[in-house]
Amino acid sequence: MLRGFIILDFGSQYTQIIARRLRDIGFYSEIVPHDMSMDQIKQKNPYGLILSGGPQSVYDQNSLSRDVKALLEVAPLMGICYGFQLIIHQLGGKIEPANHREYGKQMVRWKKPFRGVSLNQSVWMSHGDVATKIPEQLKVIAESENHPAVIQGEKILGVQFHPEVFHTDQGEELFLEFAEMCAAKKTWNSGSMLVEAENFVKTQVGASEKVLCALSGGVDSTVVATLLHKILKPGQLQCLFVDTGLLRDQEAQEVMKAYETLGLPVIKADARKLFLEQLSGVSDPEKKRKLIGKLFIDTFDSEVKKLKQNFTWLAQGTLYPDVIESVSLHGSSVTIKSHHNVGGLPEKMNLKVLEPVRFLFKDEVRNLGQSLGLPESFIQRHPFPGPGLAIRILGEISESKIQILQKADRIYIDFLKEKNLYHKIWQAFCVLLPVQTVGVQGDSRTYDNALVLRAVTSRDGMTADWYEFEMKDLKEVSSRITNQVKGINRVVYDVTSKPPATIEWE
């Protein structure tokens, strides 16, 4: 186990981004429940401890808490947002509801130069409580317009804003300051990621146990399958690709060819008819996701019986953004939406879940794929949701709607590649709305579907900004789609960031 930083999770949606930023810099980091025992923390021998943000108020009777003085006996302490307030509260200061809450972009003024950071720093705030009294052993080294923003003391660094998010300018410098305070060493890179993933699999899977790997056609599951193929003995791994009929145009054929090139032991299950029949009439997005999860398992169960092999594990390419949006994993974070591959496995399959990249972000998985020798063309594909086009067709699903969306999506993605825009964008896709509008095509009145184009830039999928196309490009791609796809007479572009929206519409 690598030595690094321990992050105590108090329920912030941004907790994993703290780990991510530290990893970007080169420091191994691990998220643990806020109430992990002191003995367990000491066993990990961390360089430093970080208290995350969270949705509660430290002065509430039932709020999550830790003994700050006891933690300081183990290692230096950094508090972010709620963690900042918890340190102040426990050391004799005072936290109260703010008269003026601070959300979104705010300015912080440093009292003296700090690691080359601008004396007027633009940061991301998200809190309704503020520090009104600072403990004697701490000093305020930066302030927002109304309140203390950064505190420092012996073995303590506290930050009221969120240095982990990319909306904060030079937020990395706060983590570097804390790392120096802890005398931490950089050990996290692609090679160490691969070693950790390999060790995880080896400690989980027995020498004679068999693994069934669920392949979706995307980067994540392909990296997992390639990793398992590299580690496990011949005959231990069987990959299964389910063609749901909800993939992009010609995607099922293309990914099967790619799997064959990679030498993966894979079979394809044609479940197009099953998925289309079962999803008929279903319009609620949560019901869609959960039904698709059930249908995947039903298909796997059926295929396992055909294979007549005794599998112990079901391997999946689950990533952390899937997990944190689906379940409160370590703290009291809020569920945003369910993901079809998160939340457990029906008992009837009697399989244990193996998720080697569950705590990695998309670009870390891509780096892992590079270490495993996957071709660049496959690694750099845009993310595609497990439920496929089902969550990009708002409302009820039909075969005709799937075909319309597949054609529009093909035109859109081909256009991005033609204009050398594809690799500048983190994710791009089309959404078919349950809305029909009046149009004029070929001198005739039409009453057809409206289509949304979505394109975002991001590092990890937890936050994202919409991509600013040149107007001529939007005009051209809109014209191509409305001219070439029968059933669409209106195209609009989504200019919403995450937050407040999610990247996908459902």
Side-chain angles (χ1 to χ4, degrees):
M1 173 63 70
L2 292 172
R3 189 183 181 199
F5 290 94
I6 297 297
I7 302 162
L8 300 177
D9 184 9
F10 287 88
S12 171
Q13 294 290 342
Y14 300 140
T15 299
Q16 184 67 10
I17 304 180
I18 301 172
R20 167 61 199 283
R21 291 304 294 268
L22 287 165
R23 294 176 187 181
D24 279 349
I25 301 169
F27 299 106
Y28 176 71
S29 55
E30 181 180 350
I31 296 175
V32 302
H34 77 279
D35 56 356
M36 173 177 270
S37 73
M38 291 300 295
D39 285 342
Q40 288 175 306
I41 292 174
K42 290 176 181 177
Q43 286 174 6
K44 292 179 179 294
N45 189 28
Y47 285 123
L49 300 170
I50 299 176
L51 309 182
S52 82
Q56 298 180 318
S57 295
V58 297
Y59 48 76
D60 286 344
Q61 185 175 356
N62 297 319
S63 61
L64 304 180
S65 188
R66 284 301 299 244
D67 186 334
V68 167
K69 291 182 180 179
L71 293 175
L72 281 168
E73 292 178 4
V74 178
L77 204 57
M78 181 179 187
I80 296 175
C81 197
Y82 183 87
F84 164 92
Q85 295 172 5
L86 183 60
I87 291 171
I88 292 172
H89 178 69
Q90 291 227 347
L91 295 183
K94 193 169 186 178
I95 303 296
E96 296 182 295
N99 292 325
H100 302 284
R101 298 183 177 186
E102 296 178 313
Y103 292 112
K105 283 279 190 178
Q106 301 286 332
M107 295 302 296
V108 162
R109 295 182 298 277
W110 290 87
K111 292 190 172 184
K112 62 180 181 180
F114 178 85
R115 301 187 63 88
V117 174
S118 171
L119 289 177
N120 292 297
Q121 181 187 12
S122 177
V123 304
W124 185 262
M125 296 277 196
S126 183
H127 62 99
D129 294 329
V130 294
T132 56
K133 177 185 175 184
I134 302 299
E136 292 182 0
Q137 63 267 53
L138 302 175
K139 61 180 179 179
V140 177
I141 60 174
E143 297 176 325
S144 64
E145 183 177 353
N146 303 300
H147 311 289
V150 184
I151 55 171
Q152 195 167 31
E154 185 180 2
K155 296 176 62 178
I156 292 176
L157 181 65
V159 185
Q160 178 62 87
F161 53 89
H162 287 275
E164 70 270 29
V165 303
F166 290 100
H167 300 85
T168 293
D169 293 344
Q170 298 176 284
E172 181 180 286
E173 296 301 326
L174 276 300
F175 293 112
L176 287 171
E177 176 73 10
F178 185 59
E180 286 187 13
M181 185 185 296
C182 300
K185 297 180 180 178
K186 296 182 179 182
T187 58
W188 187 248
N189 51 45
S190 296
S192 55
M193 265 188 273
L194 179 57
V195 170
E196 288 294 305
E198 289 178 343
N199 288 340
F200 174 81
V201 172
K202 289 175 181 177
T203 57
Q204 295 290 310
V205 182
S208 61
E209 293 179 335
K210 292 190 175 184
V211 179
L212 181 66
C213 183
L215 285 173
S216 67
V219 176
D220 311 326
S221 62
T222 303
V223 167
V224 168
T226 307
L227 175 71
L228 294 173
H229 187 50
K230 175 179 183 290
I231 298 171
L232 301 178
K233 295 182 297 186
Q236 272 191 284
L237 175 66
Q238 176 63 62
C239 300
L240 177 59
F241 170 63
V242 178
D243 183 1
T244 64
L246 299 169
L247 298 174
R248 291 166 286 201
D249 185 44
Q250 302 298 313
E251 189 165 24
Q253 298 91 318
E254 291 171 1
V255 297
M256 282 300 293
K257 289 181 181 177
Y259 293 148
E260 291 173 7
T261 302
L262 293 171
L264 298 177
V266 58
I267 58 174
K268 183 176 81 168
D270 188 346
R272 291 175 294 177
K273 183 178 179 181
L274 172 67
F275 275 74
L276 189 59
E277 287 177 350
Q278 293 295 311
L279 286 166
S280 177
V282 180
S283 58
D284 181 83
E286 278 293 289
K287 289 182 179 178
K288 281 184 190 177
R289 287 177 175 273
K290 290 176 180 178
L291 178 57
I292 287 169
K294 178 182 179 299
L295 293 174
F296 264 109
I297 296 302
D298 288 345
T299 304
F300 269 80
D301 190 37
S302 175
E303 293 299 320
V304 167
K305 289 176 181 176
K306 293 178 186 177
L307 290 169
K308 296 180 180 179
Q309 296 184 45
N310 294 320
F311 292 102
T312 304
W313 297 91
L314 175 64
Q316 299 183 142
T318 306
L319 300 187
Y320 190 79
D322 300 337
V323 175
I324 199 170
E325 288 186 343
S326 295
V327 292
S328 178
L329 188 64
H330 295 296
S332 54
S333 55
V334 178
T335 296
I336 306 299
K337 58 189 176 186
S338 297
H339 287 263
H340 81 285
N341 59 339
V342 177
L345 204 61
E347 293 181 0
K348 68 176 183 177
M349 285 195 72
N350 196 30
L351 294 178
K352 294 183 285 187
V353 180
L354 183 68
E355 295 171 324
V357 297
R358 184 182 179 89
F359 294 105
L360 294 182
F361 285 93
K362 176 68 72 172
D363 65 318
E364 290 183 313
V365 172
R366 285 177 171 148
N367 291 338
L368 194 60
Q370 288 177 326
S371 298
L372 290 166
L374 289 176
E376 196 72 14
S377 59
F378 204 99
I379 292 172
Q380 296 304 325
R381 296 178 70 201
H382 285 185
F384 187 68
L389 300 182
I391 59 170
R392 293 179 179 175
I393 297 173
L394 274 58
E396 296 185 12
I397 296 169
S398 67
E399 190 170 3
S400 62
K401 288 181 180 179
I402 293 172
Q403 291 174 355
I404 288 172
L405 187 55
Q406 284 177 332
K407 291 176 183 176
D409 184 82
R410 171 68 77 175
I411 293 169
Y412 184 33
I413 299 303
D414 285 350
F415 174 84
L416 296 179
K417 291 177 179 178
E418 175 189 324
K419 301 295 182 179
N420 294 317
L421 297 172
Y422 185 81
H423 294 300
K424 296 179 181 180
I425 295 168
W426 195 77
Q427 187 174 9
F429 56 91
C430 301
V431 178
L432 191 64
L433 299 181
V435 174
Q436 290 181 303
T437 67
V438 174
V440 179
Q441 291 173 299
D443 294 327
S444 298
R445 178 186 184 277
T446 61
Y447 194 59
D448 284 329
N449 298 285
L451 183 82
V452 177
L453 302 183
R454 180 79 156 140
V456 298
T457 57
S458 181
R459 289 287 301 277
D460 45 45
M462 294 297 286
T463 59
D465 290 324
W466 56 278
Y467 182 77
E468 295 188 38
F469 282 107
E470 292 186 21
M471 290 306 298
K472 64 180 180 63
D473 289 328
L474 283 176
K475 182 176 181 179
E476 184 175 348
V477 73
S478 172
S479 177
R480 289 189 189 184
I481 290 171
T482 53
N483 285 339
Q484 297 177 36
V485 183
K486 186 177 181 180
I488 296 175
N489 67 359
R490 191 176 302 272
V491 174
V492 298
Y493 185 55
D494 183 349
V495 293
T496 319
S497 298
K498 176 185 180 180
T502 54
I503 295 175
E504 297 283 351
W505 275 48
E506 286 193 344

